Amino acid sequence: MKLILLGPPGAGKGTQCKRIVDRYGLAHLSSGDILRAERAADSELGRKAQHFMDTGGLVPDDLIIDMMIGAIKKASGGYVLDGFPRTVAQAEGLDEALNKAGETISAVVSLEVPDEAILDRMTGRRSCPKCGAVYHVVNLKPATEGQCDNGCGPLVQRKDDSPEVVSNRLKTYHEQTAAVLGYYQKRQASILQIDANQPIDAVTNAVFKALEGLDV
Ligand code: ADP
Ligand code: AMP
């Protein structure tokens, strides 16, 4: 199964991806996680991406397309794309690479959340810098406050989860990313629209139910 998870920043893509990959044995390919790992390694790509990420903009398409096509090639089986494609140009780049490889996406899962719900989710997000696990100070608390459940140590608040950057990221989403859903509608892809403005477990149930209905 090859899935794309779409939705605004803070919609719950990472949270739901973790559950989807655990259930279906897929690879989780998160462009944000890959970029953060590149930054931690102080690679050339990480240095190029830094400014865009810190200000809530998008890293240039050519860098992202190369990075994600590389990750897809390394994932031998099925996968879930999280945070990619984020522009129509990226969606076209992905299609071109899939066509060349004779592959297609099984479905696009669209997590739908109104902007009003986003700020609280993102400012309350806490992340593990070592294993990438994601928590929330109210909605998904770790067993011990401020500590990763996987024994990695302290959780951090991402710098780009500050209220100012969140508002830029939402603006970027509406200006450049929201159109990606329309792109897949035009391509008549199988689109699973999920009400993600409900508790985390209810969203997971809705996603699993929708995936069970897929003919793959
Ligand atoms: P994304 O990957 O789309 O940016 P995350 O999965 O990191 O979003 O979720 C953002 C924050 O919101 C996290 O702190 C997460 O625990 C919390 N969260 C995710 N889904 C929900 C939900 N359905 N209801 C409330 N909080 C949620
Ligand atoms: P995320 O972890 O998905 O919230 O992404 C964090 C940041 O990484 C974004 O705000 C962007 O600056 C950058 N980023 C992640 N994925 C992409 C992408 N597909 N295209 C461009 N920039 C991206």
Side-chain angles (χ1 to χ4, degrees), residues 97-178:
L98 290 173
N99 282 343
K100 262 192 211 155
E103 292 177 4
T104 47
I105 289 295
S106 319
V108 175
V109 180
S110 170
L111 297 184
E112 313 204 329
V113 189
D115 282 7
E116 305 80 78
I118 297 292
L119 182 66
D120 168 69
R121 287 193 189 184
M122 291 173 82
T123 53
R125 171 161 57 191
R126 298 293 180 270
S127 313
C128 176
K130 291 202 176 138
C131 74
V134 172
Y135 305 85
H136 189 278
V137 288
V138 177
N139 307 332
L140 195 63
K141 293 181 181 180
T144 306
E145 195 184 327
Q147 298 290 319
C148 180
D149 288 351
N150 300 325
C152 308
L155 300 175
V156 297
Q157 181 168 22
R158 277 169 49 180
K159 273 198 193 132
D160 61 346
D161 280 344
S162 68
E164 311 75 55
V165 183
V166 166
S167 111
N168 266 345
R169 292 168 71 192
L170 268 177
K171 192 164 169 269
T172 302
Y173 171 78
H174 288 294
E175 287 174 359
Q176 300 186 61
T177 306

Side-chain angles (χ1 to χ4, degrees), residues 9 13 30-33 35-36 52-53 56-59 64 82-86 90 125 158 160 169:
K13 299 183 296 297
S30 155
S31 47
D33 284 353
L35 287 169
R36 280 183 287 279
F52 302 102
M53 296 174 75
L58 292 184
V59 177
I64 293 288
D82 165 8
F84 172 84
R86 238 173 170 108
Q90 290 179 18
R125 171 161 57 191
R158 277 169 49 180
D160 61 346
R169 292 168 71 192

